Amino acid sequence: MLELERNLFHLLNSQWTCRFLDRLMPLVTDQNAGIYVLLAILIAFGVLGGKKGRMTVIATIIAIAIIDLVGAHVFKPLIARPRPCHLEIGRLLVRCGTGYAMPSLHAANTFGVFTPIVWRYKWKAAPLYIISILVSYSRIYVGVHWPLDVVVGMLWGVAVGWGVCWLFFRKEVIETETAE
């Protein structure tokens, strides 16, 4: 399994590359830029979405807090998986980072952010997952995460996002099922 993952990392990071992506992916993976995009999205939902939007923003903030705190302080130290760049494997297009690799919190947070939005706004918000997939892929492309780190991060983000939504909005789900 690990050899298969190493081969997949090599394909995504070192073989299936081009100059355009070499310039784009560091921007996509930039945490500072991501925070501004996230804030803009949350402000838009909070201001334009009425009570539904504000509740979605609150659920999103709670999901991010859980994802980040548990991911960084429980999972990463417990798993203690080195990043490919710590092992000097593959191309590195951004700063390596000092922490452990699994789970990818970039992947977890983007999926955790967009899960409550998609939960509440259904298919209209589904294109947000494209952003999540792009951010997740960028982590492998720039050389700071293994593919499994990203997959585990994506699953962690969706699981927490879904769990928070279920706790926050289950009354709506029960009322919808009862009405049918």
Side-chain angles (χ1 to χ4, degrees), residues 3-89:
E3 187 63 32
L4 177 66
E5 183 182 28
R6 188 179 286 253
N7 291 338
L8 181 57
F9 173 82
H10 181 69
L11 282 173
L12 298 174
N13 171 263
S14 300
Q15 289 188 335
W16 295 343
T17 64
C18 67
R19 284 188 199 133
F20 173 74
L21 291 178
D22 287 353
R23 290 189 178 103
L24 176 66
M25 290 303 182
L27 299 173
V28 169
T29 207
D30 184 351
Q31 189 171 356
N32 294 326
I35 288 171
Y36 292 121
V37 171
L38 169 64
L39 285 174
I41 290 168
L42 293 180
I43 289 169
F45 276 97
V47 171
L48 303 174
K51 182 180 179 185
K52 181 178 179 179
R54 287 187 297 277
M55 291 301 292
T56 303
V57 169
I58 292 168
T60 300
I61 291 168
I62 291 171
I64 292 170
I66 293 168
I67 289 164
D68 225 43
L69 290 171
V70 174
H73 299 291
V74 177
F75 291 146
K76 283 189 180 249
L78 184 67
I79 299 167
R81 187 177 201 206
R83 295 173 181 266
C85 49
H86 290 165
L87 302 174
E88 298 182 7
I89 295 173

Side-chain angles (χ1 to χ4, degrees), residues 103-180:
S104 165
L105 293 181
H106 272 72
N109 282 320
T110 56
F111 274 88
V113 164
F114 296 135
T115 296
I117 295 170
V118 171
W119 176 291
R120 297 300 298 270
Y121 293 92
K122 307 298 180 233
W123 64 271
K124 294 176 186 174
L128 295 174
Y129 275 123
I130 294 170
I131 296 170
S132 298
I133 291 167
L134 187 61
V135 168
S136 299
Y137 171 63
S138 76
R139 304 305 288 164
I140 302 165
Y141 192 93
V142 300
V144 296
H145 279 289
W146 301 102
L148 195 55
D149 303 338
V150 169
V151 170
V152 169
M154 294 162 81
L155 294 172
W156 171 239
V158 169
V160 172
W162 190 90
V164 168
C165 287
W166 186 83
L167 290 172
F168 258 63
F169 310 121
R170 71 174 175 235
K171 182 179 176 188
E172 293 174 10
V173 173
I174 292 168
E175 288 172 359
T176 303
E177 290 173 354
T178 307
E180 294 175 348

